[in-house]
Amino acid sequence: MTTTTSPIATAAQQIVQHPQHSRLFKLLYALQQNQWPTQTPPWTVSEVQQAVIQILERLKTPTLLGQRLTAIVNSLNKAQAYQVFSAALLQILVPLYTQSPTATLTIEAPTFSTADLYDLRLEVTRYCTPLQMKLLVAALLTTKPVHAQGLERFTLIDLLQRLTRRYGDLEILQTQMAAALARLPDDPLYASAGDRLIKLLSTLYQRYPQNQPPEDTLGSTPPTVIPAVTSETDAEEELTCQLFLQSQ
Protein backbone atom coordinates (compact mmCIF):
# COMPACT_ATOMS: atom_id res chain seq x y z
CA MET A 1 0.00 0.00 0.00
CA THR A 2 1.24 3.50 -0.76
CA THR A 3 2.10 5.85 2.10
CA THR A 4 2.17 8.98 -0.03
CA THR A 5 -0.67 11.47 -0.35
CA SER A 6 -3.26 10.05 -2.75
CA PRO A 7 -3.93 11.86 -6.06
CA ILE A 8 -7.59 12.35 -5.13
CA ALA A 9 -6.66 13.94 -1.78
CA THR A 10 -4.27 16.27 -3.59
CA ALA A 11 -6.95 17.20 -6.12
CA ALA A 12 -9.41 17.99 -3.32
CA GLN A 13 -6.85 20.30 -1.73
CA GLN A 14 -6.29 22.08 -5.06
CA ILE A 15 -10.02 22.66 -5.46
CA VAL A 16 -10.45 24.03 -1.94
CA GLN A 17 -7.42 26.31 -2.30
CA HIS A 18 -8.46 27.62 -5.74
CA PRO A 19 -9.23 31.39 -5.71
CA GLN A 20 -12.67 30.64 -7.21
CA HIS A 21 -13.32 27.53 -5.12
CA SER A 22 -16.96 28.50 -4.46
CA ARG A 23 -17.72 28.23 -8.19
CA LEU A 24 -15.79 24.98 -8.46
CA PHE A 25 -17.86 23.69 -5.55
CA LYS A 26 -21.04 24.49 -7.48
CA LEU A 27 -19.80 22.63 -10.55
CA LEU A 28 -18.79 19.64 -8.41
CA TYR A 29 -22.20 19.63 -6.75
CA ALA A 30 -23.93 19.68 -10.13
CA LEU A 31 -21.77 16.77 -11.31
CA GLN A 32 -22.46 14.82 -8.13
CA GLN A 33 -26.17 15.56 -7.63
CA ASN A 34 -27.31 16.20 -11.24
CA GLN A 35 -28.82 19.54 -10.22
CA TRP A 36 -27.52 23.09 -9.79
CA PRO A 37 -27.14 24.17 -6.12
CA THR A 38 -29.17 27.09 -4.83
CA GLN A 39 -26.11 28.22 -2.87
CA THR A 40 -22.46 27.29 -2.56
CA PRO A 41 -22.07 23.96 -0.72
CA PRO A 42 -20.31 24.55 2.63
CA TRP A 43 -17.87 21.72 1.96
CA THR A 44 -14.74 20.74 3.85
CA VAL A 45 -11.73 19.18 2.11
CA SER A 46 -13.00 15.75 3.13
CA GLU A 47 -16.42 16.41 1.61
CA VAL A 48 -14.85 17.68 -1.63
CA GLN A 49 -12.78 14.50 -1.76
CA GLN A 50 -15.88 12.36 -1.30
CA ALA A 51 -17.64 14.27 -4.10
CA VAL A 52 -14.67 13.73 -6.42
CA ILE A 53 -14.66 10.00 -5.67
CA GLN A 54 -18.36 9.70 -6.48
CA ILE A 55 -18.02 11.72 -9.69
CA LEU A 56 -15.11 9.67 -10.98
CA GLU A 57 -16.95 6.44 -10.18
CA ARG A 58 -19.91 7.60 -12.26
CA LEU A 59 -18.02 9.30 -15.09
CA LYS A 60 -15.35 6.72 -15.84
CA THR A 61 -13.47 8.51 -18.64
CA PRO A 62 -12.20 12.06 -19.17
CA THR A 63 -14.47 12.29 -22.22
CA LEU A 64 -17.59 11.58 -20.17
CA LEU A 65 -16.49 14.07 -17.53
CA GLY A 66 -15.89 16.77 -20.14
CA GLN A 67 -19.21 16.12 -21.87
CA ARG A 68 -21.13 16.31 -18.61
CA LEU A 69 -19.40 19.53 -17.55
CA THR A 70 -20.08 21.10 -20.95
CA ALA A 71 -23.77 20.22 -20.70
CA ILE A 72 -23.97 21.75 -17.21
CA VAL A 73 -22.20 24.96 -18.22
CA ASN A 74 -24.29 25.37 -21.38
CA SER A 75 -27.46 25.22 -19.28
CA LEU A 76 -26.41 28.19 -17.12
CA ASN A 77 -27.30 31.84 -17.60
CA LYS A 78 -23.65 32.75 -17.06
CA ALA A 79 -22.32 30.04 -19.34
CA GLN A 80 -19.41 32.07 -20.67
CA ALA A 81 -18.10 32.89 -17.20
CA TYR A 82 -18.41 29.30 -16.02
CA GLN A 83 -16.50 27.96 -19.02
CA VAL A 84 -13.36 29.30 -17.35
CA PHE A 85 -14.16 27.58 -14.06
CA SER A 86 -15.09 24.38 -15.89
CA ALA A 87 -11.69 24.36 -17.58
CA ALA A 88 -9.98 24.88 -14.23
CA LEU A 89 -11.89 21.96 -12.73
CA LEU A 90 -11.04 19.70 -15.67
CA GLN A 91 -7.37 20.61 -15.31
CA ILE A 92 -7.50 19.28 -11.75
CA LEU A 93 -9.63 16.19 -12.34
CA VAL A 94 -8.42 14.82 -15.67
CA PRO A 95 -4.95 13.79 -14.32
CA LEU A 96 -6.79 11.40 -11.98
CA TYR A 97 -7.49 9.24 -15.01
CA THR A 98 -4.89 7.30 -16.99
CA GLN A 99 -3.69 8.73 -20.30
CA SER A 100 -5.50 6.18 -22.45
CA PRO A 101 -8.44 7.50 -24.56
CA THR A 102 -10.58 4.84 -22.88
CA ALA A 103 -9.15 5.57 -19.45
CA THR A 104 -10.65 4.36 -16.24
CA LEU A 105 -9.70 5.16 -12.67
CA THR A 106 -6.21 4.06 -11.74
CA ILE A 107 -7.10 3.37 -8.10
CA GLU A 108 -9.00 0.10 -7.92
CA ALA A 109 -9.56 -2.16 -4.95
CA PRO A 110 -8.94 -5.89 -5.13
CA THR A 111 -12.12 -7.93 -5.46
CA PHE A 112 -12.54 -10.09 -2.39
CA SER A 113 -14.03 -13.56 -2.30
CA THR A 114 -17.34 -14.19 -0.56
CA ALA A 115 -15.47 -16.04 2.19
CA ASP A 116 -13.23 -12.99 2.72
CA LEU A 117 -16.25 -10.74 3.18
CA TYR A 118 -17.86 -13.09 5.68
CA ASP A 119 -14.61 -13.29 7.63
CA LEU A 120 -14.37 -9.50 7.59
CA ARG A 121 -17.93 -9.23 8.90
CA LEU A 122 -17.13 -11.62 11.74
CA GLU A 123 -14.01 -9.71 12.76
CA VAL A 124 -15.44 -6.18 12.59
CA THR A 125 -18.38 -7.09 14.84
CA ARG A 126 -16.37 -8.67 17.64
CA TYR A 127 -16.55 -5.52 19.76
CA CYS A 128 -19.61 -3.76 18.37
CA THR A 129 -23.07 -4.74 17.13
CA PRO A 130 -23.76 -5.39 13.43
CA LEU A 131 -26.09 -2.36 13.41
CA GLN A 132 -23.36 -0.07 14.75
CA MET A 133 -20.97 -1.28 12.08
CA LYS A 134 -23.66 -0.89 9.40
CA LEU A 135 -24.16 2.74 10.47
CA LEU A 136 -20.40 3.36 10.33
CA VAL A 137 -20.00 1.79 6.88
CA ALA A 138 -23.07 3.62 5.55
CA ALA A 139 -21.61 6.91 6.81
CA LEU A 140 -18.46 6.14 4.82
CA LEU A 141 -20.53 5.62 1.67
CA THR A 142 -22.36 8.96 1.75
CA THR A 143 -22.11 12.51 3.04
CA LYS A 144 -25.80 12.46 4.01
CA PRO A 145 -27.22 11.49 7.44
CA VAL A 146 -27.70 7.77 8.02
CA HIS A 147 -30.46 6.14 10.04
CA ALA A 148 -31.03 2.62 11.30
CA GLN A 149 -34.47 2.45 9.67
CA GLY A 150 -32.96 2.88 6.24
CA LEU A 151 -30.50 0.02 6.72
CA GLU A 152 -33.01 -2.76 7.26
CA ARG A 153 -32.97 -4.03 3.66
CA PHE A 154 -29.18 -4.18 3.49
CA THR A 155 -26.96 -6.74 5.17
CA LEU A 156 -23.60 -5.78 6.62
CA ILE A 157 -22.02 -7.97 3.92
CA ASP A 158 -23.70 -5.86 1.24
CA LEU A 159 -22.37 -2.64 2.73
CA LEU A 160 -18.86 -3.99 3.28
CA GLN A 161 -18.79 -5.15 -0.33
CA ARG A 162 -19.76 -1.67 -1.54
CA LEU A 163 -17.13 -0.14 0.75
CA THR A 164 -14.29 -2.30 -0.55
CA ARG A 165 -15.33 -1.64 -4.15
CA ARG A 166 -15.31 2.11 -3.62
CA TYR A 167 -12.08 2.55 -1.70
CA GLY A 168 -9.12 1.10 -3.54
CA ASP A 169 -6.76 3.27 -1.51
CA LEU A 170 -6.97 2.92 2.28
CA GLU A 171 -5.46 6.36 2.74
CA ILE A 172 -8.58 7.82 1.15
CA LEU A 173 -10.75 5.70 3.42
CA GLN A 174 -8.84 6.95 6.45
CA THR A 175 -9.41 10.57 5.48
CA GLN A 176 -13.14 9.87 5.12
CA MET A 177 -13.34 8.16 8.51
CA ALA A 178 -13.18 11.39 10.53
CA ALA A 179 -16.02 12.93 8.52
CA ALA A 180 -18.09 9.74 8.90
CA LEU A 181 -17.55 9.62 12.66
CA ALA A 182 -18.64 13.25 12.97
CA ARG A 183 -22.08 12.30 11.61
CA LEU A 184 -22.55 9.43 14.08
CA PRO A 185 -23.48 9.52 17.78
CA ASP A 186 -20.67 10.70 20.06
CA ASP A 187 -19.65 7.23 21.23
CA PRO A 188 -16.00 6.08 21.49
CA LEU A 189 -17.16 2.68 20.26
CA TYR A 190 -17.55 4.02 16.71
CA ALA A 191 -13.98 5.35 16.67
CA SER A 192 -12.56 2.04 17.90
CA ALA A 193 -14.71 0.17 15.37
CA GLY A 194 -13.36 2.44 12.63
CA ASP A 195 -9.76 1.74 13.67
CA ARG A 196 -10.43 -1.98 13.65
CA LEU A 197 -12.05 -1.80 10.22
CA ILE A 198 -9.02 0.02 8.77
CA LYS A 199 -6.57 -2.49 10.28
CA LEU A 200 -8.51 -5.50 9.01
CA LEU A 201 -8.85 -4.03 5.53
CA SER A 202 -5.14 -3.19 5.47
CA THR A 203 -4.30 -6.85 6.14
CA LEU A 204 -6.84 -7.99 3.54
CA TYR A 205 -5.60 -5.58 0.86
CA GLN A 206 -2.03 -6.76 1.34
CA ARG A 207 -3.12 -10.35 0.74
CA TYR A 208 -4.31 -9.69 -2.81
CA PRO A 209 -2.59 -7.54 -5.46
CA GLN A 210 -4.85 -4.88 -6.95
CA ASN A 211 -6.99 -5.95 -9.91
CA GLN A 212 -6.35 -9.68 -9.31
CA PRO A 213 -9.54 -11.00 -7.69
CA PRO A 214 -9.35 -14.27 -5.74
CA GLU A 215 -11.52 -17.20 -6.68
CA ASP A 216 -14.40 -18.29 -4.49
CA THR A 217 -13.73 -21.68 -2.96
CA LEU A 218 -16.24 -24.44 -3.64
CA GLY A 219 -18.22 -25.24 -0.55
CA SER A 220 -17.46 -21.88 1.06
CA THR A 221 -19.99 -19.57 2.67
CA PRO A 222 -23.09 -18.95 0.50
CA PRO A 223 -22.89 -15.98 -1.90
CA THR A 224 -23.95 -12.49 -0.86
CA VAL A 225 -27.56 -11.58 -1.51
CA ILE A 226 -27.70 -8.08 -2.98
CA PRO A 227 -31.03 -6.26 -3.55
CA ALA A 228 -32.17 -6.84 -7.13
CA VAL A 229 -31.47 -3.89 -9.44
CA THR A 230 -31.15 -3.55 -13.19
CA SER A 231 -27.87 -1.63 -13.48
CA GLU A 232 -25.01 -0.02 -11.53
CA THR A 233 -26.82 3.31 -11.68
CA ASP A 234 -29.99 1.70 -10.34
CA ALA A 235 -27.94 0.11 -7.57
CA GLU A 236 -26.60 3.46 -6.39
CA GLU A 237 -30.06 5.05 -6.59
CA GLU A 238 -31.58 2.12 -4.72
CA LEU A 239 -28.97 2.37 -1.98
CA THR A 240 -29.39 6.12 -1.68
CA CYS A 241 -33.16 5.83 -1.56
CA GLN A 242 -33.18 3.13 1.08
CA LEU A 243 -30.42 4.48 3.32
CA PHE A 244 -30.83 8.17 3.36
CA LEU A 245 -34.49 9.11 3.24
CA GLN A 246 -35.19 10.53 6.67
CA SER A 247 -38.30 9.57 8.54
CA GLN A 248 -40.72 12.45 9.00
Side-chain angles (χ1 to χ4, degrees):
M1 299 297 298
T2 179
T3 57
T4 59
T5 303
S6 70
I8 293 179
T10 300
Q13 287 284 356
Q14 290 176 329
I15 291 169
V16 171
Q17 294 170 2
H18 192 278
Q20 297 292 335
H21 68 272
S22 62
R23 290 175 171 85
L24 299 191
F25 281 13
K26 288 183 177 181
L27 289 172
L28 278 176
Y29 183 94
L31 285 168
Q32 180 193 38
Q33 301 293 335
N34 292 321
Q35 63 181 15
W36 190 253
T38 56
Q39 58 186 4
T40 302
W43 280 343
T44 63
V45 175
S46 177
E47 289 169 329
V48 170
Q49 187 170 314
Q50 180 69 18
V52 169
I53 292 171
Q54 292 176 0
I55 290 165
L56 296 182
E57 285 178 344
R58 182 181 304 164
L59 304 170
K60 296 184 181 296
T61 70
T63 299
L64 289 174
L65 177 64
Q67 289 173 344
R68 183 62 188 144
L69 260 180
T70 298
I72 290 170
V73 170
N74 288 343
S75 70
L76 301 176
N77 293 330
K78 299 180 179 179
Q80 188 172 358
Y82 269 91
Q83 285 174 357
V84 177
F85 309 131
S86 174
L89 187 59
L90 282 173
Q91 189 174 14
I92 295 172
L93 296 183
V94 167
L96 299 177
Y97 297 91
T98 67
Q99 299 304 309
S100 168
T102 57
T104 57
L105 284 177
T106 58
I107 300 176
E108 296 183 10
T111 302
F112 301 131
S113 69
T114 303
D116 285 327
L117 290 169
Y118 272 86
D119 288 343
L120 179 61
R121 180 197 182 282
L122 176 64
E123 293 298 324
V124 296
T125 55
R126 284 191 182 277
Y127 306 107
C128 67
T129 67
L131 177 58
Q132 288 169 323
M133 183 54 66
K134 284 169 73 173
L135 286 168
L136 174 59
V137 174
L140 286 164
L141 292 171
T142 182
T143 58
K144 299 179 181 180
V146 294
H147 304 279
Q149 298 92 328
L151 296 172
E152 293 173 352
R153 285 193 58 195
F154 296 89
T155 69
L156 180 53
I157 293 289
D158 297 332
L159 297 178
L160 287 171
Q161 187 176 61
R162 292 173 188 271
L163 184 74
T164 57
R165 285 175 176 173
R166 171 167 294 184
Y167 294 101
D169 188 328
L170 284 186
E171 184 180 348
I172 297 176
L173 180 59
Q174 287 176 311
T175 62
Q176 295 303 310
M177 186 66 72
L181 292 173
R183 295 195 299 276
L184 294 171
D186 186 13
D187 186 337
L189 184 61
Y190 285 106
S192 62
D195 288 341
R196 183 167 181 79
L197 176 61
I198 292 290
K199 290 176 182 177
L200 289 168
L201 285 176
S202 178
T203 300
L204 200 54
Y205 276 43
Q206 291 172 12
R207 189 183 306 170
Y208 299 113
Q210 290 186 337
N211 303 323
Q212 294 183 14
E215 298 291 335
D216 281 347
T217 305
L218 290 176
S220 62
T221 313
T224 305
V225 177
I226 301 177
V229 290
T230 58
S231 68
E232 282 190 21
T233 300
D234 291 339
E236 291 300 323
E237 292 175 353
E238 174 83 3
L239 179 64
T240 301
C241 179
Q242 293 299 324
L243 291 184
F244 313 126
L245 284 178
Q246 300 186 40
S247 301
Q248 300 297 325

